[in-house]
Amino acid sequence: MVTNRKNERLIYLVFTMPATIAFFLVVIMPFAIGIGYSFVDWDGIVLNPMTFVGLDNYKRIFTDERFIASALHTLIFTLMAVVTINVTGLALALLVTSKLKGSNMARTMFFMPNLIGGLILGYIWKFILSDTFRSIGETTGWTGVFFNWLLDPLFALFSLVVVITWQMAGYVMIIYITGLQSVPDDLIEAAKIDGAGAFTRFFRITFPLIMPAVTVCIFYTLSNCFKIYDINLALTGGGPANATELFAMNIYNEIFSYNRYGYGQAKAIIFFFLVAIVTLTQVALTKRKEVQL
Amino acid sequence: MKTGRKVLSAAASVFMILLGLCFLIPLYIMVINSFKNRAELYMSPVALPTVLRIENYAEAIDRMNFLTSFMNSLVVTVSSVFFIVLFSSMCAWMLARTDDRKSRFLYFAFVATMLIPFHTLMMPLVQMMKWSREYLGIPVLNTRYGIVFMYIGFGMSLAVFLFHGFVKSIPVSLEEAATLDGCSRFGVFFRISFPIMKPTIMTVIILDIIWIWNDYLLPSLVLNGKELRTIPLSTSSFFGVFTIQWNEAMAGLTLTIIPVVIFYFCAQKYIIKGVVAGAVK
């Protein structure tokens, strides 16, 4: 009996340990060590001294104009992108589920950009939004729209919104499609017979019923936009003049470009708290609005 | 009336397909410019090329070290995904089938850490890699097994979560019957539970392939050597400090997208299912 129980324990460890060890070494330990680093002043060079500065790094963040600017840009970008991605994705889902011929093909095309990595997408769009747009503007004379977007601080931020919408609209479309397919047809038919127009049907029946899909999509887009890095790096590189340096890039630059390891890590810890707060609040808020049939 | 409706629906279909094609315009621009010479490219990026300059591709392959980086991406992705699936399914199964405090705590730890962004872990992780070589004599930086190990660690949270949810939905009775027939725990897992998990296995495989194949930041921190570069790292070689050779770059980007497109068309059904299953996290 005793050996049996010992055996059970051993089996338990064999099953759980490989996953747990990898996870512990790659996620938990760096996280804990990272908290430690956020209290020191260090330039990343092993031979140079590391000095304990307590909460100074955290205090400094609140007066760091560049970080505050990047926070603001991230906020504007995230708000715009979450709206455009979800509106586009839902519109595409409605279009694709409207029982038209060719909807499978259209769905395939809309989803395509999602499989391509952010870095590569960023590079493709960099060419389009700079050289291609400028060239179109020169030939057509519509220079109000077609100019090098990446040289203008505001339009460079819009560029990021455009690219991430292009990438993620197809993804949220897929989730909205499953949501829409779960809306019972007879409910829509009944509303039609009662004389509800297309808009009323959508906003009064379909939309409340797909609220679970909305939760999932907003949660997903919110945390992804907030953490965006690859597209930012490839498309704008933070420019012009740091106007599009978003959170993740600001942290990366602080640590690896300016070699302020302690201070940069303090920012990274704040970043973690922001991501956690934003996503948890969002889930709590939208969960309440879901309608159960 | 009937024909009017048919015309309308046909028009809507055409509109939808056109919209789909509009979605692919950036890829079209990429492909047409990958065949141009520099002068033609700058004259008009939207015009079709007059001569097909295949040399762009040869130069791009050379510059990116395409075959090597393709193989690197393949090796890293396949081995990471293999171990993620194996370890996470084993762990999640055990955690779901053991109802005690430590299993619940471990599961909670896996799930809660999904909130941690990579940027919070990146610097300490790089330090740990350096310590590993210095104090333990195990080099992690610039090794393939090092990056595979890290992908295993990062991939655990989501995979354990997905498998755990699925295992909870399979009745225990089948496993109990097998145990009564004298099947060991390993036998129960590998002969009975693991095959039943196939839908989740596909989901995890798809999600992790897309993630690891396209990942840039982690390889950029771990792999410095040219001979170890993965595809995303090698594309950045076109975008140096000086002027960008756009025609060559476009050829290179086209090359990197071709495997993705092939993968998409072969596994489309699974990809879409996987995305749906993975999103409801």
Side-chain angles (χ1 to χ4, degrees):
Chain A
M1 197 60 209
V2 177
T3 47
N4 199 4
R5 190 172 290 167
K6 238 183 191 167
N7 207 3
E8 275 291 297
R9 261 189 90 81
L10 188 70
I11 289 174
Y12 184 86
L13 289 180
V14 169
F15 270 85
T16 53
M17 276 305 112
T20 311
I21 291 170
F23 169 72
F24 181 79
L25 286 175
V26 175
V27 179
I28 305 289
M29 243 174 92
F31 187 67
I33 294 173
I35 295 175
Y37 272 121
S38 72
F39 297 118
V40 300
D41 185 28
W42 185 44
D43 61 3
I45 297 165
V46 186
L47 294 174
N48 286 353
M50 221 184 264
T51 40
F52 180 79
V53 291
L55 287 171
D56 279 7
N57 284 334
Y58 287 96
K59 284 181 198 147
R60 213 168 120 194
I61 290 173
F62 295 99
T63 51
D64 182 338
E65 276 170 29
R66 187 159 159 189
F67 188 68
I68 292 166
S70 105
L72 201 66
H73 297 143
T74 311
L75 198 69
I76 298 170
F77 162 77
T78 305
L79 288 178
M80 286 196 295
V82 167
V83 172
T84 55
I85 295 166
N86 283 284
V87 170
T88 317
L90 185 55
L92 295 179
L94 285 168
L95 194 67
V96 170
T97 50
S98 58
K99 296 179 184 105
L100 291 169
K101 269 191 197 128
S103 52
N104 269 336
M105 201 171 126
R107 193 182 67 169
T108 306
M109 291 191 274
F110 293 139
F111 186 73
M112 177 77 226
N114 199 262
L115 292 178
I116 305 169
L119 194 80
I120 289 161
L121 288 184
Y123 287 140
I124 298 172
W125 277 93
K126 187 189 177 112
F127 178 67
I128 292 168
L129 292 165
S130 57
D131 290 325
T132 310
F133 263 38
R134 199 199 51 224
S135 153
I136 295 175
E138 277 164 12
T139 38
T140 58
W142 300 335
T143 44
V145 188
F146 294 108
F147 56 93
N148 189 338
W149 278 32
L150 302 182
L151 292 180
D152 180 274
L154 190 62
F155 277 83
L157 204 60
F158 291 159
S159 303
L160 288 170
V161 176
V162 168
V163 178
I164 201 156
T165 305
W166 188 67
Q167 184 189 27
M168 286 175 61
Y171 185 97
V172 298
M173 171 193 75
I174 298 286
I175 302 168
Y176 282 127
I177 289 173
T178 38
L180 289 169
Q181 280 164 347
S182 71
V183 176
D185 277 340
D186 47 344
L187 222 60
I188 304 282
E189 284 305 316
K192 227 183 223 172
I193 292 164
D194 288 347
F199 276 94
T200 324
R201 286 204 302 273
F202 177 73
F203 284 107
R204 290 287 168 82
I205 298 170
T206 313
F207 194 69
L209 284 175
I210 59 165
M211 218 44 209
V214 177
T215 313
V216 169
C217 289
I218 293 184
F219 170 75
Y220 181 81
T221 47
L222 202 59
S223 66
N224 265 281
C225 293
F226 213 72
K227 293 187 283 194
I228 183 181
Y229 179 75
D230 289 7
I231 293 179
N232 197 185
L233 179 72
L235 188 67
T236 67
N242 299 329
T244 58
E245 187 190 64
L246 304 184
F247 263 147
M249 184 175 278
N250 183 281
I251 292 166
Y252 183 94
N253 288 341
E254 196 70 65
I255 297 175
F256 294 116
S257 307
Y258 302 111
N259 293 327
R260 291 189 279 259
Y261 277 53
Y263 180 47
Q265 188 57 29
K267 284 180 174 181
I269 299 290
I270 294 282
F271 183 53
F272 158 70
F273 280 112
L274 289 173
V275 170
I277 292 167
V278 165
T279 42
L280 291 178
T281 323
Q282 198 276 326
V283 169
L285 279 178
T286 20
K287 272 259 149 61
R288 251 190 275 158
K289 287 211 186 106
E290 282 170 21
V291 178
Q292 299 238 299
L293 257 188
Chain B
M1 183 65 200
K2 259 233 161 114
T3 46
R5 196 159 251 196
K6 252 186 195 159
V7 169
L8 203 69
S9 120
S13 287
V14 170
F15 167 75
M16 187 171 64
I17 298 291
L18 282 179
L19 200 67
L21 290 174
C22 283
F23 238 69
L24 300 183
I25 284 179
L27 301 182
Y28 166 77
I29 290 181
M30 171 188 78
V31 174
I32 58 170
N33 285 294
S34 71
F35 289 109
K36 291 179 187 170
N37 61 33
R38 272 176 82 79
E40 219 179 355
L41 180 136
Y42 281 108
M43 210 136 73
S44 169
V46 285
L48 284 169
T50 48
V51 232
L52 293 183
R53 223 182 94 88
I54 310 287
E55 294 94 310
N56 288 341
Y57 280 85
E59 276 153 25
I61 287 173
D62 192 45
R63 187 149 176 181
M64 289 169 72
N65 222 339
F66 185 76
L67 283 178
T68 314
S69 36
F70 180 82
M71 285 316 287
N72 287 338
S73 274
L74 200 66
V75 169
V76 168
T77 308
V78 170
S79 30
S80 306
V81 171
F82 174 80
F83 286 112
I84 290 175
V85 168
L86 182 70
F87 292 163
S88 65
S89 61
M90 285 169 71
C91 180
W93 180 75
M94 198 43 117
L95 295 182
R97 289 293 183 239
T98 322
D99 191 32
D100 59 9
R101 198 184 278 173
K102 68 173 179 300
S103 301
R104 276 196 298 269
F105 173 77
L106 208 52
Y107 174 66
F108 173 79
F110 277 116
V111 176
T113 48
M114 277 200 272
L115 284 174
I116 304 176
F118 179 73
H119 278 76
T120 307
L121 306 173
M122 117 192 122
M123 188 275 275
L125 200 63
V126 172
Q127 302 308 317
M128 283 172 64
M129 290 188 266
K130 288 182 186 156
W131 297 337
S132 164
R133 199 182 58 190
E134 210 162 311
Y135 302 115
L136 303 173
I138 309 167
V140 183
L141 275 173
N142 269 324
T143 61
R144 274 199 207 95
Y145 62 81
I147 197 163
V148 169
F149 183 76
M150 277 178 259
Y151 278 127
I152 297 172
F154 284 120
M156 279 308 131
S157 287
L158 179 64
V160 165
F161 173 72
L162 292 172
F163 279 119
H164 193 273
F166 189 77
V167 172
K168 281 278 178 201
S169 74
I170 335 175
V172 207
S173 50
L174 206 64
E175 294 169 15
E176 280 170 352
T179 315
L180 285 178
D181 287 345
C183 207
S184 71
R185 287 287 253 181
F186 285 96
V188 170
F189 178 75
F190 284 107
R191 299 237 181 104
I192 297 172
S193 311
F194 192 74
I196 299 178
M197 292 184 205
K198 201 191 153 207
T200 310
I201 295 172
M202 288 313 289
T203 302
V204 172
I205 290 179
I206 295 289
L207 291 177
D208 288 347
I209 286 179
I210 299 173
W211 158 50
I212 296 170
W213 186 269
N214 290 325
D215 194 28
Y216 168 74
L217 190 52
L218 182 63
S220 80
L221 294 170
V222 181
L223 308 170
N224 301 316
K226 203 176 175 184
E227 67 292 344
L228 288 174
R229 286 196 308 205
T230 56
I231 287 211
L233 288 182
S234 65
T235 50
S236 60
S237 63
F238 293 107
F239 303 90
V241 196
F242 306 109
T243 51
I244 303 164
Q245 300 266 11
W246 275 115
N247 49 349
E248 257 180 53
M250 287 299 165
L253 294 174
T254 308
L255 283 174
T256 65
I257 288 177
I258 290 170
V260 177
V261 173
I262 294 173
F263 170 66
Y264 183 40
F265 283 106
C266 293
Q268 202 194 352
K269 199 181 78 189
Y270 293 109
I271 291 173
I272 289 185
K273 265 193 206 154
V275 163
V276 173
V280 198
K281 53 187 171 187

